[in-house]
Amino acid sequence: MAGSTVSNRGDTPPLFRRRRRWPLVGALAVAGLAGVLAVWWFVWVPNWRPPLEEGERYGIDVSSHQDVIDWRQVAGDGIKFAYIKATEGGDFTDDRFEENWRGAQDAGLDRGAYHYFTLCTPGAEQARHFIDVAAPENDALPPAVDLELVGNCSARPSPSEVKGQLGDFIRLVEGAWGREVILYVGDDFERAYPVRHELDRPLWHRRFLLRPDLDGWLIWQLHGYARVDGIDGGVDLDVMRASP
């Protein structure tokens, strides 16, 4: 009996051994999934560009956040147009607007200027500031206005007040440029102030990786993590259609 007892203590039941393996298998599976997701997020997403349909072309939108840009390298990486931040509110001018405006033109890219619209400054004042900085040019792309609550001031005027101020901005800018303004409308802004279809202007729509699911879009922003030659770090990647 004593010998039998020693032998039994050295044996581990098969069921117990299998149970001990499951946590290890689970940990390995989680690590493998995390690795796949990391490759997808940090490698595939920044380098993926959707197939273009007829009349479409790749572009980017930039501001001083991208720091110094080598525009000739950008153009050599298949980028055909760029929207460049010019102004914000009634008195802010992007530090690199002039540099980027000239650089994109010298590299042969079509370029357009955009304005970040604030809810704390009259629309007419913002329009005059934008026109002073981004003077109308016949060979430039139509001007664009960025409408988002993220990064905006704390004021939340009524929808009727915002509609009036935005209307003043659009009227003055379109009068100076002689072309319709393109509207970039964030989902947060649209929920508070529905303007996408009410204003009936070409739309610049952000939808992560998937083509826009609304009518009237002219520019599709895929995401803000693209790798483009000539730019350090991620940048917004866009696709422009020939017409909305």
Side-chain angles (χ1 to χ4, degrees):
M1 290 180 64
S4 176
T5 301
V6 171
S7 175
N8 288 341
R9 287 175 180 173
D11 291 337
T12 302
L15 179 59
F16 183 71
R17 289 199 300 269
R18 287 197 296 271
R19 285 177 176 172
R20 286 198 305 182
R21 283 198 296 267
W22 278 116
L24 177 60
V25 172
L28 291 174
V30 170
L33 178 60
V36 170
L37 290 175
V39 170
W40 178 79
W41 182 257
F42 293 107
V43 178
W44 187 85
V45 168
N47 291 287
W48 180 73
R49 296 182 185 181
L52 295 177
E53 297 184 358
E54 184 177 358
E56 293 181 344
R57 51 188 173 153
Y58 297 120
I60 56 175
D61 57 275
V62 302
S63 69
S64 59
H65 292 299
Q66 275 67 49
D67 203 12
V68 178
I69 297 174
D70 187 326
W71 285 101
R72 296 198 179 278
Q73 287 193 40
V74 171
D77 197 18
I79 300 301
K80 303 300 183 183
F81 73 92
Y83 264 91
I84 300 166
K85 184 175 182 178
T87 52
E88 180 174 332
D91 57 5
F92 176 82
T93 301
D94 189 90
D95 291 340
R96 296 195 179 276
F97 173 68
E98 290 292 341
E99 174 186 329
N100 287 331
W101 192 250
R102 292 192 305 269
Q105 182 183 42
D106 291 344
L109 274 68
D110 288 336
R111 74 270 194 272
Y114 77 87
H115 171 83
Y116 184 92
F117 189 89
T118 178
L119 299 176
C120 291
T121 305
E125 182 178 335
Q126 297 188 60
R128 287 189 289 268
H129 178 51
F130 175 74
I131 295 167
D132 285 343
V133 174
E137 294 187 17
N138 292 331
D139 63 347
L141 295 170
V145 57
D146 183 357
L147 304 172
E148 300 180 75
L149 295 185
V150 174
N152 215 307
C153 66
S154 60
R156 294 295 179 266
S158 67
S160 60
E161 174 67 15
V162 171
K163 181 180 178 181
Q165 296 298 337
L166 184 55
D168 289 343
F169 176 88
I170 291 173
R171 175 176 51 81
L172 290 173
V173 171
E174 289 183 344
W177 275 79
R179 280 175 282 176
E180 286 189 324
V181 165
I182 297 172
L183 302 179
Y184 180 103
V185 187
D187 290 336
D188 56 351
F189 194 97
E190 178 68 11
R191 285 191 292 268
Y193 306 107
V195 296
R196 278 184 184 142
H197 299 293
E198 185 174 343
L199 292 177
D200 193 25
R201 296 296 193 284
L203 296 175
W204 182 350
H205 187 59
R206 187 183 191 279
R207 193 178 191 213
F208 184 66
L209 299 183
L210 300 176
R211 283 185 169 268
D213 56 352
L214 50 75
D215 296 327
W217 71 271
L218 176 65
I219 303 173
W220 165 33
Q221 185 187 95
L222 286 73
H223 56 69
Y225 319 107
R227 299 298 181 190
V228 174
D229 290 348
I231 298 177
D232 291 332
V235 66
D236 293 340
L237 181 64
D238 303 290
V239 171
M240 179 183 287
R241 297 203 290 184
S243 60

